[in-house]
Amino acid sequence: MAFEREIHAVGHHLQTQVHGLAEGQKDAYARSAFNRYYYSVFLKSRELFRALNPSWSKTPHADYPLILRGDVRKQLKKGWTRARKGGDGQLMRDAEAALRAVEALSGLLEKAYAIRVVADYEPEEVVDFSGGDRFSLKEVEITSAHAWRSQCDTFCSEIHSVWIQVNV
């Protein structure tokens, strides 16, 4: 099991344990669950960056969306243009899907990073436990945070697959 999957499992454990805890512990566990979900996405994205360009894996967290929307998008667009000129309809469609994945992954990373910052550095921001078995922070439901990892896997796979094709 990859480390980022283990981090996700820790987040899920924290998420499921929240409701049997005392008030102070509930808050700490909930914030830690959001944190772990963020880090599972960050680590998976860093793995993608390492595969695309090893120097990008040392980029600060908050800059990942910038690289995706900048260098990664630019390279995928070049690949799309070459595919169009070469009449490769399948690669064009794949590149279009990868470009959508770039935007989606960028947005996911921005949202997850912002919530991680709130969870870690803004204890005055209240975790909302009014949703029964669910809880939220800044209107981000924990079930949404739980799904970040599978979404990230899909986006990273789409981007990497096309990156390999257009950078041969």
Side-chain angles (χ1 to χ4, degrees):
M1 180 184 282
F3 185 67
E4 68 273 0
R5 289 192 187 280
E6 292 173 13
I7 293 294
H8 186 268
V10 169
H12 187 252
H13 175 76
L14 293 166
Q15 175 187 344
T16 60
Q17 298 302 306
V18 163
H19 296 288
L21 300 172
E23 286 305 310
Q25 288 180 317
K26 284 174 75 167
D27 185 77
Y29 272 60
R31 290 172 184 282
S32 295
F34 280 107
N35 178 291
R36 296 296 85 191
Y37 286 146
Y38 164 73
Y39 274 103
S40 71
V41 169
F42 166 74
L43 291 170
K44 179 64 179 178
S45 299
R46 188 176 70 178
E47 180 182 300
L48 170 68
F49 274 36
R50 189 174 289 126
L52 304 183
N53 179 338
S55 69
W56 291 343
S57 67
K58 296 180 185 342
T59 301
H61 297 221
D63 291 345
Y64 274 43
L66 300 173
I67 289 176
L68 284 163
R69 289 184 178 125
D71 294 338
V72 174
R73 185 176 187 281
K74 182 179 177 182
Q75 195 66 22
L76 293 173
K77 287 282 280 184
K78 283 182 185 178
W80 180 89
T81 301
R82 283 194 307 265
R84 184 177 54 84
K85 287 179 182 176
D88 189 339
Q90 184 60 53
L91 183 54
M92 285 175 59
R93 286 186 294 280
D94 291 346
E96 289 165 359
L99 288 164
R100 286 189 299 274
V102 162
E103 189 55 40
L105 181 58
S106 297
L108 174 64
L109 286 166
E110 287 169 338
K111 181 178 190 173
Y113 180 78
I115 289 301
R116 196 274 305 177
V117 168
V118 171
D120 287 351
Y121 302 116
E122 298 178 21
E124 67 281 357
E125 193 65 49
V126 177
V127 176
D128 180 1
F129 293 102
S130 65
D133 289 344
R134 309 270 190 262
F135 53 91
S136 61
L137 182 60
K138 295 283 287 187
E139 299 182 10
V140 175
E141 295 286 331
I142 193 62
T143 52
S144 174
H146 178 85
W148 292 341
R149 175 51 205 248
S150 63
Q151 294 166 0
C152 181
D153 283 347
T154 300
F155 302 147
C156 287
S157 178
E158 290 173 345
I159 294 165
H160 188 247
S161 173
V162 175
W163 184 271
I164 290 170
Q165 294 177 63
V166 301
N167 288 294
V168 177

